[in-house]
Structures are given as structure tokens and as C-alpha cells.
Amino acid sequence: MTGSPTNPAPRAAGGRLHAPSAWNVPNALTVLRLVLVPLFVWLLLRNGGFVTGDRLLATAAFVVAIVTDRFDGDIARRWNLVTNFGKIADPIADKALTGAAFIALSYLGELPWWVTVVVLVREWGVTALRFWVIRHGVMPASRGGKLKTVLQAIALGLYLLPWQDNPLLHWPAVIIMSAAVLVTLVTGLDYLFRALRLRAAAKRPLP
């Protein structure tokens, strides 16, 4: 989100900014997403993942969690409710949700394990890179990274639906997942090069 905030943060006497309370709507949505992760996994794996009702409930839990991810950050920035808790918990909740979905689908034999390993290595690798260069600069999410997130969410949602035995309905999931893996790899390399450039620029002597 660009531009000035919609609602400036309240100021204390003397013009100092009040730090927003951690008890706010965006953080509540993040906590809800964290709570939904074990519920989602339980619903998906219950009865071996073969019961249509369980799959639909698991898909619904996943979709609700993804929707909270879409709105919590926007609300926090718009209403100046960004907190240290949110900065830490939000990416953890995101990676816990998608990581659990990838692992559970591979455990059920519906998604190759190599796909899950590639995605998880990339996700946690980028997180490690951000910490590696945090003293020298911030690596914000790129357009490719945002596209990766959207493709992964759509692909996982399609894989979760109970239509794996129908080839005509399953192929769209395979195609979108393939695109998601490709974008995941490309953006992972992009983040690596950006991190190396940041480190190199930091070591360059001042003119």
C-alpha cells in the first residue's frame, strides 16, 4: 500500500506516537489463521482424506485462512495497527498454512514429495535470506513473489477439493501447480541475487 495512511496514528502529549496495541483486529485474524492450521490438517487427514465431506470442510478452512491473510495486512496498514507481534506472527502463519497443505497432500500421495520439498526449501530459504541481509536493507515482496503466493493458493485449493479421481477436473490443478512451482523457483533465485547485491553494496567503500 502506498501513500500516506488513511488514519494517522494517535499522538501522545508532546507529539510522540502511541504504539498500537497488540490486541487488534489484524492480529486477531492472524491468530485465527494459526488456529485454523491444525483444524485444516485434521479435517484433511481424517479418514485417510477420502471422505468428500471432510475434504470440503478442509478446503473451506483453507479458504477462510487464505482470506484472512488477504485482509489482515491491509487493515493493519490502513488503520496504523502494525505491531511487532503482527510482523512476526503473520509470515509464520502464512508459511504454516501453505506448508501444512503441501505436506499433507504429499502424505496422502496426491502431490509429489519433490514439489513439497522444493517449495518449502524456497520459502524458508527466502526467510533466512531476509534475516541474513536485514542489517543492510529490507527485501520487500516482489511482484513475482506475490504472483507465487496467488498461484500456490489457487493450486492448493484445487488439489484440496474432492475431485482427484476425475482427470478432466484434476488437470487444471496440475497445470496451475506446475506454474506455481516454476514461479516459486524463479522468484527464489531472484531473492538470492537481490540478497547478494545488498550484501555487496553494503561492503562497498563509501566514495
Side-chain angles (χ1 to χ4, degrees), residues 25-93:
V25 172
N27 286 347
L29 291 174
T30 299
V31 171
L32 173 62
R33 189 156 70 258
L34 283 168
V35 171
L36 284 173
V37 172
L39 175 62
F40 155 70
V41 173
W42 177 72
L43 288 169
L44 180 59
L45 299 182
R46 188 171 66 166
N47 299 315
F50 296 115
V51 178
T52 298
D54 291 344
R55 294 294 291 244
L56 290 174
L57 288 173
T59 304
F62 179 81
V63 170
V64 169
I66 286 293
V67 169
T68 66
D69 181 37
R70 172 64 180 83
F71 288 107
D72 60 359
D74 288 347
I75 294 173
R77 288 185 292 271
R78 180 177 294 272
W79 295 95
N80 291 294
L81 296 174
V82 177
T83 63
N84 290 333
F85 173 82
K87 291 177 183 178
I88 296 171
D90 184 69
I92 291 175

Side-chain angles (χ1 to χ4, degrees), residues 11 13 27 57-58 75 86 88 97 101 111 122 126 132 153 156-157 165 195:
R11 292 179 178 272
N27 286 347
L57 288 173
I75 294 173
I88 296 171
L97 177 65
L111 189 66
R122 184 272 187 198
V126 168
W132 186 51
L156 288 170
D165 294 332

Side-chain angles (χ1 to χ4, degrees), residues 122 130 139-147 187 190-191 194:
R122 184 272 187 198
R130 283 195 166 108
M139 289 197 303
S142 63
R143 290 183 179 180
K146 294 176 181 178
L147 174 62
T187 55
D190 176 60
Y191 279 114
R194 288 165 63 187

